Amino acid sequence: MNADPLFTPHAVCRTVENDPNKHTENHLGLFFTVAEEDMKKLFGFGGLEKHLRTQMATFTESCIMVRPPALEVINYLRKADYEKPAIRYVLYGRKGVGRTVSLAHILYWCSLQGWLLLHVPDPTKFTVKIEEMQPSIFKPGQVDLPLTAAEWLKRFRTQNALFLEENEFTASRKYVWSKRESSESGSPIISIIDYGINRVKYAADCVNVVIREVKLQSQNFSKPVIVVVDGGNQFFCETTIKREDKTLLPPDDVSLVHNLKKLFHSDWKNGAVVVSVDERNAYNMQKSSYLPRYLLQKEGFELFDPFVPILVDNYTEKEASSCLDYYIDRMWIQNAKARTESGKKELMYLTGFNPRELQLISNAI
């Protein structure tokens, strides 16, 4: 009697090794589970797209596939010499290939190693999706985004709670906020973070202080600093913010952008910068290339050069098969034919092995 093809045991799609520090090429194409408390700490303020958050909630678990781009960057980070200037890594690729998930994997590894995290999951909030803005208090001609800055401070505080507790990270000088309020030299940086969160008017300036002090003191930290920006090319594109004369405000006139871009320079040590470039973040540009040279434009490319380019590509057949096996295991794919080997291959070729397209087509079956 022939076995029913619907119930033929599908290939293993998971690994029981959930520590990304122990992942090797033997784990490529396999899913590992991220603890729920780590998900809340790292991505409670953003960092994963809505469709991924929805899917994880539906599956009642948070799993990430081990893929070559993240594994490659993690290996580089593990072996780098942090006595030298910060190395820049740029992830690039076509739409829907999984740059954001690769960044999440890298960020998770850094968090488990105890690194200081400076995470910007959505730069469009600084240039396009503006919630509220006000003239800069300390920099004439610039604008502050107080709500966005306060959100960044909350993310920084949450993601780095343990680092801030275990390391002596204090202000190197006095910072004056107003005639009556200031932070003295030697004040814990966490007190400045809390000040910015509670006094939103000064949140953007508190972000500037955090960035300045991180770059100034990074060499003294017991663990490296990692800067992770998803869609960093947005910092070099036009904003949608209009001046009084109706002209568009350059990105460098947004104080958050101006200060965060300082982290892209190689004038500091004991750190690394991992940035993705994304066609969707190329506001007001013709979408004709996904390559870093085009998306970063002249200013961004020259600022990052030299950098290590990391291609994020479509799934291999092994990865696509593992992804579909995972969907079947989670009962996401209900169609009987789609659960067979021939059905799976048809889905792979219909979607061109593109991770996002594979997810979208699986939603309907």
Side-chain angles (χ1 to χ4, degrees), residues 124-135:
T124 60
K125 288 187 176 182
F126 304 157
T127 56
V128 179
K129 303 173 185 175
I130 306 301
E131 292 186 39
E132 181 185 355
M133 64 180 181
Q134 65 184 29

Side-chain angles (χ1 to χ4, degrees), residues 146-345:
L147 296 180
T148 305
E151 181 185 32
W152 190 90
L153 289 170
K154 290 176 184 177
R155 178 185 301 110
F156 181 87
R157 196 188 198 287
T158 301
Q159 291 181 335
N160 297 293
L162 186 61
F163 184 97
L164 294 170
E165 181 182 321
E166 294 181 346
N167 290 266
E168 187 177 342
F169 187 20
T170 59
S172 63
R173 66 176 178 84
K174 181 178 180 179
Y175 292 97
V176 178
W177 310 112
S178 66
K179 291 181 179 180
R180 297 182 179 180
E181 297 173 301
S182 64
S183 297
E184 298 296 326
S185 175
S187 299
I189 291 298
I190 197 168
S191 68
I192 295 175
I193 293 169
D194 289 340
Y195 179 80
I197 293 171
N198 295 321
R199 297 293 306 276
V200 177
K201 177 181 179 181
Y202 299 103
D205 296 299
C206 290
V207 172
N208 183 28
V209 169
V210 171
I211 293 169
R212 180 184 182 277
E213 295 291 349
V214 166
K215 291 188 66 175
L216 194 64
Q217 301 184 47
S218 60
Q219 282 182 279
N220 301 325
F221 294 157
S222 59
K223 296 292 180 69
V225 177
I226 185 71
V227 179
V228 176
V229 183
D230 193 1
N233 53 301
Q234 184 64 54
F235 286 159
F236 305 96
C237 296
E238 288 184 356
T239 74
T240 58
I241 304 171
K242 290 185 178 180
R243 298 190 183 97
E244 291 183 0
D245 62 2
K246 304 301 180 182
T247 59
L248 294 175
L249 194 73
D252 277 337
D253 284 350
V254 179
S255 61
L256 282 176
V257 174
H258 176 77
N259 292 317
L260 285 164
K261 281 170 71 173
K262 294 176 183 177
L263 294 165
F264 296 162
H265 291 263
S266 59
D267 57 351
W268 57 289
K269 298 179 181 180
N270 198 26
V273 179
V274 183
V275 171
S276 72
V277 291
D278 192 334
E279 292 175 75
R280 294 172 300 175
N281 287 36
Y283 177 73
N284 215 17
M285 287 176 62
Q286 184 179 352
K287 311 298 192 296
S288 60
S289 175
Y290 62 89
L291 298 176
R293 176 63 185 87
Y294 176 77
L295 293 175
L296 286 170
Q297 303 183 66
K298 185 176 186 291
E299 178 197 355
F301 190 83
E302 290 180 352
L303 174 59
F304 275 91
D305 190 39
F307 63 86
V308 180
I310 307 290
L311 174 64
V312 184
D313 214 342
N314 285 325
Y315 280 151
T316 62
E317 185 167 346
K318 177 184 175 181
E319 289 174 331
S321 179
S322 180
C323 178
L324 290 170
D325 283 339
Y326 179 67
Y327 290 163
I328 292 169
D329 178 65
R330 294 285 88 195
M331 303 300 291
W332 187 252
I333 294 179
Q334 297 290 322
N335 184 282
K337 290 183 179 179
R339 296 163 70 93
T340 64
E341 288 302 313
S342 61
K344 285 164 54 181
K345 286 196 181 233

